[in-house]
Amino acid sequence: QVQLVESGGGLVQPGGSLRLSCAASGSTSTIEYMAWYRQAPGERRELVASIGSDGIAVLAHSVKGRFTISRDNAKNTVYLQMNSLKPEDTDVYYCYVGGPGNNYWGQGTQVTVSS
């Protein structure tokens, strides 16, 4: 089992920045893939960014040039640096980690971009 604890969400003005963190504990040796998803009420959860064990990152088109995903394997933590935030980035953000035969979700953290 893997437990995930997210932090860093909150309220920010348009153009501002936030950094989300997701720390994993438990059977972390099984983790290969780490990602962030987001979901608005009544909508499907969508992939924002992912990073493999090789460090290769993939970003959704809507966040390219503004968001960066990174991971610290020593700390079993994945980060999402969000810059130039827009009101349409307002969502609940979920951490996701996966490995052979297993995947886990964080509890979600609210990000609200509003003036």
Side-chain angles (χ1 to χ4, degrees):
Q1 289 287 328
V2 172
Q3 295 76 44
L4 301 174
V5 177
E6 302 171 4
S7 60
L11 173 64
V12 64
Q13 293 186 343
S17 297
L18 283 175
R19 188 194 197 204
L20 304 183
S21 300
C22 174
S25 60
S27 301
T28 57
S29 62
T30 64
I31 296 173
E32 294 184 355
Y33 175 88
M34 308 181 88
W36 289 94
Y37 285 73
R38 65 186 181 186
Q39 186 174 26
E43 298 189 10
R44 294 182 63 182
R45 194 168 293 186
E46 65 171 3
L47 178 65
V48 177
S50 66
I51 185 166
S53 56
D54 55 5
I56 295 177
V58 176
L59 294 165
H61 177 75
S62 59
V63 305
K64 280 184 179 178
R66 300 188 298 122
F67 291 12
T68 304
I69 187 171
S70 61
R71 62 190 286 173
D72 184 333
N73 292 326
K75 295 181 178 179
N76 298 309
T77 300
V78 60
Y79 305 96
L80 185 68
Q81 178 67 44
M82 305 185 292
N83 300 327
S84 302
L85 282 160
K86 305 175 181 180
E88 52 263 44
D89 294 317
T90 296
D91 271 324
V92 178
Y93 285 70
Y94 295 90
C95 173
Y96 170 93
V97 301
N102 293 288
N103 58 83
Y104 303 92
W105 290 95
Q107 79 280 5
T109 185
Q110 177 69 47
V111 171
T112 301
V113 185
S114 175
S115 56

